[in-house]
Amino acid sequence: MNYSLVPERYKEKDPRTLLYHFPSIPVVKFAKITQKFYFFKQLEIAQDIVNRMGYILLPSVCMHWERVKQFAERRIKIGRNSFFMMKIEELTEKEKEKLNEYVSELRGGEKKYGTN
């Protein structure tokens, strides 16, 4: 299974040209759109680096709090979210299950990405 945590089509809604085309866009709306875009951009870069090292990124919400403490030195923080560098073999069955749910939820929400 592909464990990518980044929506495939997030780059289609690049907000960097919005101010040029819509100078009267509300500041808060522009900030939210830009923040979401740059979060996924940072996550994509981190995921690429981690994959090259032979790990995958596991969101902290998929881990038990004791395991979070155990792997604290492998934590990567992007925005307010924490991710952990893990080998697939190190994942427990519950973590694999939660990761699959997380990724499938992300794929389901991908259709909604550009509409909000």
Side-chain angles (χ1 to χ4, degrees), residues 1-43:
M1 177 172 184
N2 181 12
Y3 290 111
S4 178
L5 303 176
V6 180
E8 293 175 15
R9 299 173 359 154
Y10 86 95
K11 289 183 180 179
E12 290 178 5
K13 299 288 183 179
D14 188 346
R16 293 177 281 195
T17 59
L18 278 178
L19 280 179
Y20 178 76
H21 294 292
F22 305 100
S24 62
I25 188 171
V27 175
V28 174
K29 183 173 185 171
F30 178 73
K32 285 182 181 181
I33 293 169
T34 305
Q35 182 180 25
K36 191 173 192 178
F37 176 79
Y38 280 113
F39 169 77
F40 284 127
K41 191 149 183 71
Q42 289 175 337
L43 185 59

Side-chain angles (χ1 to χ4, degrees), residues 5 56-60 62-63 82-84 86 91 95 99:
L5 303 176
I56 64 167
L57 279 182
L58 181 68
S60 63
C62 296
M63 297 175 74
S82 293
F83 301 89
F84 290 85
M86 302 289 285
L91 299 180
E95 288 171 345
L99 179 60

Side-chain angles (χ1 to χ4, degrees), residues 38 45 85:
Y38 280 113
I45 292 167
M85 295 175 19

Side-chain angles (χ1 to χ4, degrees), residues 93-106:
E93 288 303 315
K94 193 69 173 171
E95 288 171 345
K96 286 180 185 176
E97 186 181 309
K98 286 182 177 182
L99 179 60
N100 287 333
E101 287 176 18
Y102 187 91
V103 170
S104 65
E105 186 177 304
L106 184 67

Side-chain angles (χ1 to χ4, degrees), residues 33-80:
I33 293 169
T34 305
Q35 182 180 25
K36 191 173 192 178
F37 176 79
Y38 280 113
F39 169 77
F40 284 127
K41 191 149 183 71
Q42 289 175 337
L43 185 59
E44 182 179 44
I45 292 167
Q47 185 171 268
D48 184 44
I49 292 169
V50 166
N51 289 345
R52 290 175 191 220
M53 295 169 54
Y55 293 95
I56 64 167
L57 279 182
L58 181 68
S60 63
V61 296
C62 296
M63 297 175 74
H64 190 272
W65 66 271
E66 289 175 339
R67 297 245 318 153
V68 167
K69 282 179 157 180
Q70 182 181 355
F71 292 102
E73 72 279 354
R74 294 193 199 172
R75 185 176 77 170
I76 295 173
K77 201 149 169 63
I78 300 174
R80 294 181 177 178

